[in-house]
Amino acid sequence: MAYETLIVDIEDHIALIKLNRPDAMNALNSQLLGELSKALKAVEQNDKVRVIVLTGSDKAFAAGADIKEMSTKTFVEAFTDNLFGDEADQILKCRKPIIAAVAGYALGGGCELAMMCDFIIAADTAKFGQPEINLGTVAGIGGTQRLTRFVGKSKSMDMHLTGRFMTAEEAERSGLVSRVVPAKKLMDEAMGAAAKIAEKSALTAMAVKEAVNRSYETTLREGLLFERRLFHALFATEDQKEGMAAFLEKREAQFRDK
Ligand code: CO8
């Protein structure tokens, strides 16, 4: 499929999706968000793809929603069209692991998009922020909720109320990102992590994703029960038998996603 605002490359079970609006710091306009939804749906349905890496440019992962495009919208238009809602839901529907590889600005909707991925690997040039307050608005696809869960109330309030940016180093220290690497090594690191995940059982990876995400949606008691039941259920899979047999036989596991 041809895209105008994305570059999609599939190789060795990894789909690399690059946001590509260089003239606008990868601002998320309706075309880009529509194409991203389509691309994610396509890679989700592609059996060859086991892991997705989402990235931007050296300068910007994404500098937020496209301010030019949305500046004149009315409440009725935003509400009736469920502005950004369907696209956000589409990203969350993806059951395959998604790694965000972030260099440069990840602001507003860009920071929210990165947080919707399963984990974030950042270049040392990355800057995260929720500066919507400067535009007289608030985050719209999860910033106030997810950032607060990742970094705690005090820092989240600070980010949302002052609109200041967080460096990659601060983001790692605060739990927003899982790793920080020199900018030149970002894609190697992200693709290396994706390759590691691609070696695992895709079925088990899907279960891991469901279980960890559940921790954000429910009480500890319910989450623990969900995890235990998943743990029990995976004994019904061939991949569990293969994984444990391979360990005992001191060989590499050959997972079949069954
Ligand atoms: N929307 C539209 N265009 C943008 C955006 C944006 N968010 N960000 C940058 N651009 C454009 C600029 O207008 C400029 O275009 P032009 O050359 O035609 O004037 C070009 O990108 C380069 O930008 P700058 O000249 O400003 O570059 P600087 O290096 O000086 O600054 C910054 C880079 C700091 C990233 C600066 O551009 C900036 O502050 N951008 C806006 C950041 C922002 O406020 N983001 C939040 C947007 S609101 C939002 O995201 C709401 C979330 C709701 C849900 C979102 C769902 C997707």
Side-chain angles (χ1 to χ4, degrees):
M1 204 179 291
Y3 301 101
E4 286 177 14
T5 60
L6 303 177
I7 298 169
V8 180
D9 198 17
I10 298 175
E11 215 173 300
D12 296 335
H13 304 297
I14 302 166
L16 175 62
I17 303 180
K18 190 173 188 303
L19 308 178
N20 188 37
R21 291 191 69 213
D23 296 340
M25 297 266 172
N26 288 334
L28 306 167
N29 65 0
S30 50
Q31 183 185 9
L32 186 151
L33 288 167
E35 290 188 355
L36 183 58
S37 292
K38 277 196 193 120
L40 284 173
K41 212 169 176 180
V43 295
E44 177 84 342
Q45 287 167 354
N46 183 338
D47 289 341
K48 280 191 197 143
V49 175
R50 302 169 75 81
V51 189
I52 300 153
V53 175
L54 182 63
T55 194
S57 68
D58 294 350
K59 284 191 188 144
F61 176 74
D66 191 307
I67 300 167
K68 280 179 205 140
E69 191 181 71
M70 71 180 165
S71 63
T72 57
K73 284 204 186 294
T74 64
F75 164 75
V76 172
E77 285 167 345
F79 182 77
T80 312
D81 298 345
N82 191 25
L83 184 63
F84 305 131
D86 295 340
E87 294 90 343
D89 290 346
Q90 186 62 47
I91 297 161
L92 296 177
K93 263 189 209 160
C94 184
R95 300 184 72 200
K96 294 181 180 175
I98 312 179
I99 302 170
V102 175
Y105 296 106
L107 305 177
C111 185
E112 294 174 284
L113 178 60
M115 288 192 288
M116 273 194 280
C117 297
D118 295 309
F119 62 99
I120 303 173
I121 299 181
D124 53 6
T125 57
K127 289 191 179 65
F128 298 88
Q130 297 289 163
E132 289 92 340
I133 195 165
N134 298 332
L135 304 168
T137 188
V138 297
I141 51 168
T144 60
Q145 306 303 299
R146 289 199 180 88
L147 189 65
T148 307
R149 281 168 162 80
F150 291 152
V151 306
K153 180 189 162 192
S154 186
K155 200 175 278 286
S156 177
M157 278 289 191
D158 176 1
M159 303 294 294
H160 285 280
L161 285 174
T162 66
R164 78 174 175 89
F165 301 163
M166 202 192 263
T167 61
E169 189 272 328
E170 184 181 1
E172 187 186 29
R173 187 164 19 98
S174 321
L176 175 57
V177 311
S178 70
R179 321 176 188 183
V180 178
V181 293
K184 275 188 193 154
K185 296 200 171 146
L186 176 67
M187 292 320 296
D188 283 350
E189 188 80 12
M191 297 306 275
K196 268 259 167 271
I197 298 168
E199 288 169 6
K200 322 284 183 208
S201 158
L203 174 78
T204 318
M206 222 175 254
V208 167
K209 179 164 169 161
E210 274 193 16
V212 175
N213 281 334
R214 194 73 171 212
S215 70
Y216 283 101
E217 311 285 346
T218 190
T219 60
L220 178 61
R221 196 185 175 91
E222 288 301 316
L224 289 171
L225 182 61
F226 182 79
E227 179 196 79
R228 191 178 307 159
R229 290 291 174 254
L230 257 184
F231 172 66
H232 294 161
L234 288 169
F235 282 101
T237 67
E238 290 178 19
D239 283 349
Q240 174 272 325
K241 296 289 172 283
E242 168 61 11
M244 293 193 187
F247 176 81
L248 295 172
E249 291 159 20
K250 301 189 187 304
R251 60 173 174 83
E252 287 288 314
Q254 302 293 321
F255 293 119
R256 297 176 59 225
D257 306 331
K258 288 183 173 169

